[in-house]
Amino acid sequence: MKKFFVIVFLLFQILSYAQNDFSYERPPVFSECESVEIELLQKCFDNQVFAHVFNNFKVPEQVTQENYKGDVVVLFEVDKEGDFRVIYVDATYNELKEEAKRVFSDLPKIEPGTYNGKPTYKQYSIAIKIPLVNQAVATKDLSKNEDPTVNKELTVLENAAKKQYDSVNMKLIPFSNREYTSQLNIPLSNSNYAKFDRSINLVGTNSHTASKPYMYEDVAPYYDFQAAIDTLAKDTKTFAGRKLWNERLVRVEGKDYWFTIDPIFDFEVGKDFDADFSSTYNNTRGVSIQGGLGKKFSFYTSFFESQGRFAEYYNQYAISIRGADEAAIIPGRGIAKSFKDNGFDYPVAEAYLSYTPIKFLNVQFGHGKNFIGDGYRSLFISDVSTPHPFLKLNTTFWKIKYTNTWLWLKDVRPQVEVDGAYKQKYMATHFLSWNVSKRLNIGLFESVIWTNSNDRGFDINYLNPIIFFRAIEFETGQGAGNALVGLSGKYKLNDNMNVYGQFILDEFSLSDVSGGEKSWKNKYGYQIGFKYYNAFKVKDLLLQTEYNRVRPYTYSHNTVILNYGNANQSMAHLWGANFSEFVLIGRYHYKRWFGNAKLVVGTKGFDFDEGTDYYSYGGNIYKDYNERPYDNNVTVGQGNKSSTFFANLQAGYLINPATNLKIFTDITFRNFNPEVQTANTMDSNTVWFNIGIRTDLFNWYFDL
């Protein structure tokens, strides 16, 4: 049991804030260290602690008599007033624990550590060797060799090797929050991104804002994550208080490595007043682990185990897109099985490795989501589908950022299932972002989807990071893939306003596009949006409005598996195609309080019941576009025209800014009104109230 507590303790070493930049941070200072150069202050502090312990620690008589050899592990801090305080001691003998507490209580009051000139807590750990060793001197005398019969160089190596394990465990290393300048991705949450969206969109910045998620090192030149965390920090002196309000649960750091471990929660309970069941709920438990090795390699992994029952319209949609042998697919999360009364059980796992071999190139391989665009929606690649494997290259130089992504997707329809396995499909994308001027950005996008029919497998032609996909599609056979091209743009009116947009073009015929009686071949969509930061001179108020319109049959294909989808969900806009939509969003935060409001009004054309009308009217991308009822007079909203009104109000409090743990309450109003009611398009009028506590790490879209 003792060993278990020692292991747990070592995992829970809570080390102080960074010393990466001494102009901002400084360790505590003993009076003996006041004249020491600033870069040596930490070493001086370490040696003063070591010397005090060696000179004052009295090994209890019982311990000496029993010839005990081992460690006394002490976790301590220097608070904002400069006082030493022991947080935890682990030792085999209680007498050793009491002696350690006594020795540290005798340490003098010193000048506290600082961050940006302000006093702050500094936390350290030390392992006191029994029998006592003066660690402050031992490292200095490591290379001495008093035995003339032994080769001096060999002795130095042997002594160093024997000291290696202790140096890893005993060295006093402040925790520096390297996360905020690392190659790790900032969790893709719109409410979280809104906090620094203005900072990376100032006129004159050379940032590239369309390809998401961002890495911390990309945003760090424009936004000080550490300062934002420190501004929100609560003045609490207890270990539990800091873990709850200010810090990650486990933080460990060495010279060339660091990692953190945190629990993940999403506990929600609510009521859909239009449903027959008594309540809605979501019960998610998970863990996230992230870290770095050296300066070029970072990693992240998370696992979620969840059970949930949602508003009736959402449950029905989840069931309607279910896989071949599953109960449902939770949109954006994954495959689910039935759980108790009208509920679902759905595990989710995400992970990636991030490596930057040279300054201008980052490589990521993982299982997760990506997003391309400056809007709330994307017509290129969105995060509305379930997580999937990907390989991504981000190349940044001059005024250019070039993103290559290769994705492994699945078609889960019963028609393509073979021996219980889902059908594999592949996707490759190129996106070039060019900052033309201080205000104008232009983006060029192309993508292609193919499958392993005719033993084609993963087509090596599409591994080329700079080739034009349309040419490859034509060369390998136009039925062998589904290629799309797109154009995006953003213009900064001033530091507080910008306009943005996207245009996506599927199969095209110049004569039809230029005028052919609203031909079905006019398969395209567009987006236009506007963002207003510090709206009406209210600090931290963001207003956003956006219009999206996608014509029928866009993203679909005559070989259904080649559609622009994954796991029965669109890889672009949540609504697929054949729709028009207006979105209005407001986001506001004040200290730890926040509020969000969203309004979505739209029209979409659905198909009718298969038994009476088997035609595809262009809204369902999982239908063959050759099953269309006519070639001309094709308009947005054709088929079973349905109107949607969706409004959501949310307010909450940020419990822990380091982990983005929030408590919130929200209410959703949704009215869905089809012209004809079918099995998949039922008239509904939903009022859904919800309250919960959530680690906000990803976007979850309920505005179906």
Side-chain angles (χ1 to χ4, degrees):
M1 198 66 179
K2 295 283 186 182
K3 293 181 179 179
F4 171 77
F5 283 115
V6 171
I7 293 172
V8 172
F9 162 73
L10 291 175
L11 284 175
F12 279 74
Q13 293 183 73
I14 307 305
L15 306 168
S16 68
Y17 287 116
Q19 286 184 289
N20 287 349
D21 187 341
F22 285 96
S23 63
Y24 292 94
E25 300 185 57
R26 191 196 64 185
V29 180
F30 283 87
S31 58
E32 293 85 352
C33 301
E34 291 178 351
S35 60
V36 173
E37 295 180 6
I38 192 168
E39 62 268 19
L40 299 177
L41 279 178
Q42 185 63 54
K43 184 63 177 177
C44 186
F45 172 82
D46 297 349
N47 280 334
Q48 289 297 318
V49 174
F50 287 139
H52 176 83
V53 171
F54 181 75
N55 294 327
N56 295 277
F57 196 97
K58 297 178 181 179
V59 180
E61 184 177 351
Q62 178 186 355
V63 176
T64 303
Q65 290 176 351
E66 296 181 7
N67 294 320
Y68 172 75
K69 294 182 180 180
D71 295 336
V72 179
V73 181
V74 183
L75 176 66
F76 68 94
E77 74 174 6
V78 182
D79 63 19
K80 292 182 178 181
E81 285 72 41
D83 291 320
F84 283 82
R85 187 173 72 88
V86 174
I87 299 173
Y88 176 81
V89 181
D90 186 82
T92 302
Y93 295 86
N94 287 329
E95 292 85 352
L96 287 174
K97 294 181 181 179
E98 294 304 318
E99 179 61 12
K101 293 177 182 178
R102 183 195 68 80
V103 170
F104 273 85
S105 68
D106 288 343
L107 278 162
K109 185 172 184 176
I110 63 176
E111 190 174 343
T114 60
Y115 179 80
N116 284 339
K118 297 180 180 180
T120 187
Y121 293 94
K122 295 288 183 178
Q123 300 167 348
Y124 300 92
S125 65
I126 182 175
I128 304 171
K129 303 295 293 183
I130 305 296
L132 288 175
V133 175
N134 189 349
Q135 296 166 228
V137 179
T139 55
K140 180 178 174 183
D141 294 337
L142 182 64
S143 62
K144 285 188 176 181
N145 176 24
E146 305 298 337
D147 187 352
T149 65
V150 180
N151 181 276
K152 183 177 180 179
E153 293 183 1
L154 179 60
T155 303
V156 170
L157 290 174
E158 288 179 348
N159 288 340
K162 291 179 180 180
K163 198 68 180 176
Q164 184 179 19
Y165 180 83
D166 290 337
S167 67
V168 170
N169 288 278
M170 293 190 302
K171 190 172 183 181
L172 304 182
I173 303 175
F175 192 85
S176 58
N177 284 329
R178 298 183 198 176
E179 167 188 2
Y180 300 137
T181 55
S182 72
Q183 297 85 29
L184 283 175
N185 293 333
I186 304 172
L188 186 50
S189 163
N190 287 331
S191 59
N192 190 31
Y193 276 41
K195 296 176 183 177
F196 54 80
D197 203 19
R198 179 181 182 273
S199 300
I200 60 177
N201 277 289
L202 298 175
V203 175
T205 59
N206 193 35
S207 62
H208 297 270
T209 59
S211 183
K212 301 180 179 76
Y214 307 136
M215 292 188 298
Y216 281 102
E217 70 172 8
D218 292 336
V219 179
Y222 313 104
Y223 182 80
D224 191 335
F225 290 96
Q226 186 63 67
I229 294 290
D230 291 341
T231 300
L232 297 176
K234 286 184 177 291
D235 188 10
T236 175
K237 296 183 179 181
T238 66
F239 174 83
R242 287 194 298 276
K243 294 292 117 181
L244 174 63
W245 299 109
N246 299 332
E247 301 175 357
R248 293 190 174 277
L249 181 61
V250 177
R251 312 187 306 176
V252 177
E253 181 171 333
K255 181 180 178 181
D256 297 316
Y257 67 89
W258 67 272
F259 67 87
T260 67
I261 304 175
D262 290 291
I264 299 172
F265 302 115
D266 187 358
F267 301 141
E268 303 177 28
V269 63
K271 174 65 176 176
D272 176 2
F273 295 95
D274 191 42
D276 295 332
F277 44 80
S278 59
S279 64
T280 64
Y281 64 89
N282 190 68
N283 174 20
T284 295
R285 298 87 57 214
V287 63
S288 69
I289 304 172
Q290 63 179 10
L293 301 174
K295 296 182 179 180
K296 298 182 178 181
F297 184 83
S298 301
F299 62 89
Y300 171 89
T301 183
S302 63
F303 174 78
F304 308 80
E305 174 60 34
S306 305
Q307 294 80 39
R309 182 173 62 204
F310 310 97
E312 184 63 20
Y313 78 91
Y314 198 81
N315 293 337
Q316 290 175 353
Y317 179 72
I319 294 172
S320 73
I321 62 172
R322 64 182 179 271
D325 300 310
E326 307 296 342
I329 291 179
I330 306 302
R333 306 310 296 143
I335 291 172
K337 62 182 180 180
S338 297
F339 179 77
K340 294 185 177 180
D341 184 21
N342 297 315
F344 305 106
D345 188 316
Y346 58 102
V348 183
E350 298 189 24
Y352 64 88
L353 305 174
S354 181
Y355 178 57
T356 304
I358 48 181
K359 183 178 180 180
F360 58 82
L361 176 65
N362 174 260
V363 182
Q364 293 190 6
F365 177 69
H367 187 88
K369 303 181 185 182
N370 293 276
F371 188 102
I372 295 179
D374 286 291
Y376 172 66
R377 310 286 200 188
S378 174
L379 306 184
F380 295 171
I381 290 182
S382 182
D383 59 343
V384 301
S385 178
T386 56
H388 43 269
F390 69 89
L391 171 65
K392 180 164 67 173
L393 276 63
N394 277 316
T395 307
T396 307
F397 63 96
W398 188 51
K399 302 176 183 179
I400 298 291
K401 182 173 183 179
Y402 189 51
T403 301
N404 302 91
T405 312
W406 294 270
L407 306 99
W408 287 257
L409 310 177
K410 282 184 170 55
D411 192 320
V412 301
R413 293 172 300 129
Q415 302 93 305
V416 295
E417 184 185 28
V418 179
D419 297 328
Y422 297 128
K423 186 72 171 178
Q424 186 76 58
K425 56 195 288 190
Y426 311 98
M427 181 176 182
T429 73
H430 297 158
F431 180 68
L432 187 147
S433 172
W434 175 29
N435 287 325
V436 181
S437 70
K438 293 181 179 181
R439 298 177 183 269
L440 178 63
N441 173 273
I442 292 177
L444 302 176
F445 173 80
E446 65 168 344
S447 71
V448 64
I449 290 182
W450 74 99
T451 186
N452 56 1
S453 58
N454 300 322
D455 297 323
R456 189 180 181 201
F458 193 94
D459 195 329
I460 195 171
N461 288 290
Y462 295 123
L463 284 176
N464 192 319
I466 56 176
I467 204 163
F468 188 51
F469 287 148
R470 277 288 184 183
I472 293 298
E473 182 198 22
F474 185 81
E475 181 181 290
T476 57
Q478 296 187 54
N482 181 15
L484 295 87
V485 295
L487 175 69
S488 67
K490 180 179 66 178
Y491 188 79
K492 305 171 187 176
L493 301 172
N494 53 49
D495 286 345
N496 290 325
M497 298 182 185
N498 65 60
V499 293
Y500 60 87
Q502 290 183 333
F503 179 79
I504 188 72
L505 183 63
D506 201 339
E507 179 185 348
F508 65 94
S509 169
L510 184 59
S511 60
D512 290 312
V513 170
S514 60
E517 298 182 359
K518 298 179 181 179
S519 168
W520 75 276
K521 293 182 181 179
N522 295 349
K523 296 160 59 179
Y524 63 84
Y526 62 86
Q527 173 191 88
I528 185 168
F530 172 74
K531 288 183 180 180
Y532 185 11
Y533 308 105
N534 295 336
F536 306 110
K537 298 183 179 181
V538 178
K539 189 176 185 303
D540 297 323
L541 173 62
L542 168 61
L543 297 180
Q544 179 179 6
T545 183
E546 182 175 298
Y547 179 73
N548 298 287
R549 186 179 180 90
V550 178
R551 281 186 52 80
Y553 309 110
T554 307
Y555 303 120
S556 60
H557 200 270
N558 57 3
T559 303
V560 176
I561 195 172
L562 297 180
N563 63 25
Y564 207 71
N566 172 50
N568 287 343
Q569 301 152 86
S570 171
M571 284 296 293
H573 195 289
L574 181 68
W575 291 7
N578 192 17
F579 70 87
S580 63
E581 173 200 46
F582 174 79
V583 180
L584 179 63
I585 297 173
R587 303 187 190 277
Y588 176 72
H589 67 271
Y590 174 74
K591 296 183 178 179
R592 295 194 180 215
W593 296 96
F594 66 90
N596 300 313
K598 184 193 307 179
L599 175 67
V600 179
V601 180
T603 300
K604 176 177 169 63
F606 289 87
D607 296 332
F608 296 96
D609 278 335
E610 293 285 350
T612 57
D613 188 341
Y614 64 88
Y615 289 116
S616 169
Y617 288 89
N620 184 358
I621 67 173
Y622 278 86
K623 268 196 169 183
D624 183 348
Y625 58 57
N626 283 334
E627 295 177 352
R628 59 188 179 274
Y630 31 75
D631 292 342
N632 295 314
N633 295 318
V634 173
T635 59
V636 172
Q638 69 177 16
N640 188 4
K641 189 173 184 179
S642 306
S643 61
T644 298
F645 175 89
F646 179 95
N648 176 267
L649 295 173
Q650 183 181 91
Y653 183 79
L654 181 61
I655 297 174
N656 190 323
T659 61
N660 219 19
L661 179 65
K662 302 175 177 179
I663 186 170
F664 68 93
T665 183
D666 70 2
I667 187 167
T668 296
F669 303 91
R670 179 182 182 269
N671 180 267
F672 180 76
N673 186 17
E675 289 183 346
V676 178
Q677 295 199 49
T678 69
N680 294 322
T681 54
M682 300 291 292
D683 185 84
S684 66
N685 190 11
T686 302
V687 178
W688 184 16
F689 174 78
N690 213 26
I691 187 170
I693 179 171
R694 180 190 181 201
T695 308
D696 190 7
L697 300 178
F698 54 86
N699 292 319
W700 202 345
Y701 300 93
F702 292 92
D703 43 8
L704 302 174

